[in-house]
Amino acid sequence: PVGPYDRMPRQEHLPQARGAFAGRSRVQRALQGPAALSCAFASLLRAGLALLILWCGALAAQPAAAQFLSFDRIESVPARGWDEASPPATGWQAIALPDDWSARLPGHDGVVWYRLTWTEPAGPQPLEARGLFLRDLTLAGMVMLNGSEIARDPNLVEPLSRSWNLPRYWRLDEPLLRTGRNELVIRVSGLADFQPGLGEVVLGAPD
């Protein structure tokens, strides 16, 4: 005998069952739609917030352009000998930094002078201090501001000091720094086999 639970459903009830299941699926899809949109929106919001944070951090890491001063002129001249103590009056040529003099003075072992000038605008007294950053010089050097020495490596003739990988920073203030024209002179001693020259020089706010 066939039990009441073993009978196959009658054909006339099958459409009703399919309709019930279809209705239930439509309800589930209708509920899932807003949830999926909400998750997608939340993901986009998080990504946008992360990009905003990165952008703000990049802006904070970059000093304002107004903090930096441009040099009026950057020029150079080779010295007449290793022992030349002051820059020559003539022979200066405009160059760009960084400068590897082995490209324009091939085979030159000795000294090259660099002169960088800029203008300090007149403003409130006392004159605002400046920060001077010199990325590198190869191989050894001496730095003067408006005729006064502010730095010198121990050995400017052979055997030369090896200080090409040493960034340098100075705070420039009155009375060495002055309103109007200022002149920075850098004496570099180098050997042709070591890519001699002067790296980037940056002048700006002291902090």
Side-chain angles (χ1 to χ4, degrees), residues 23-48:
R24 191 177 307 163
S25 299
R26 284 194 296 271
V27 171
Q28 290 176 344
R29 286 196 297 270
L31 292 175
Q32 290 172 353
L37 287 175
S38 178
C39 290
F41 178 76
S43 298
L44 287 174
L45 187 61
R46 286 194 295 270

Side-chain angles (χ1 to χ4, degrees), residues 107-205:
H108 178 69
D109 292 336
V111 174
V112 170
W113 294 93
Y114 294 88
R115 183 166 64 192
L116 298 82
T117 57
W118 78 95
T119 303
E120 282 290 342
Q125 297 297 327
L127 190 65
E128 291 185 5
R130 298 294 181 190
L132 176 66
F133 174 72
L134 196 160
R135 186 173 298 279
D136 60 82
L137 56 80
T138 307
L139 291 166
M142 180 262 293
V143 182
M144 294 187 297
L145 175 62
N146 294 325
S148 297
E149 184 177 310
I150 61 174
R152 172 188 287 264
D153 285 325
N155 297 326
L156 300 181
V157 297
E158 284 281 47
L160 293 171
S161 300
R162 269 32 177 192
S163 56
W164 65 85
N165 60 347
L166 178 66
R168 304 149 195 255
Y169 176 83
W170 300 274
R171 179 186 174 95
L172 308 181
D173 212 336
E174 293 182 300
L176 293 183
L177 187 68
R178 58 198 182 200
T179 300
R181 185 179 185 273
N182 287 266
E183 181 180 274
L184 183 73
V185 173
I186 304 172
R187 181 191 192 275
V188 179
S189 302
L191 303 172
D193 291 339
F194 292 89
Q195 296 181 313
L198 180 64
E200 180 185 17
V201 180
V202 179
L203 183 68

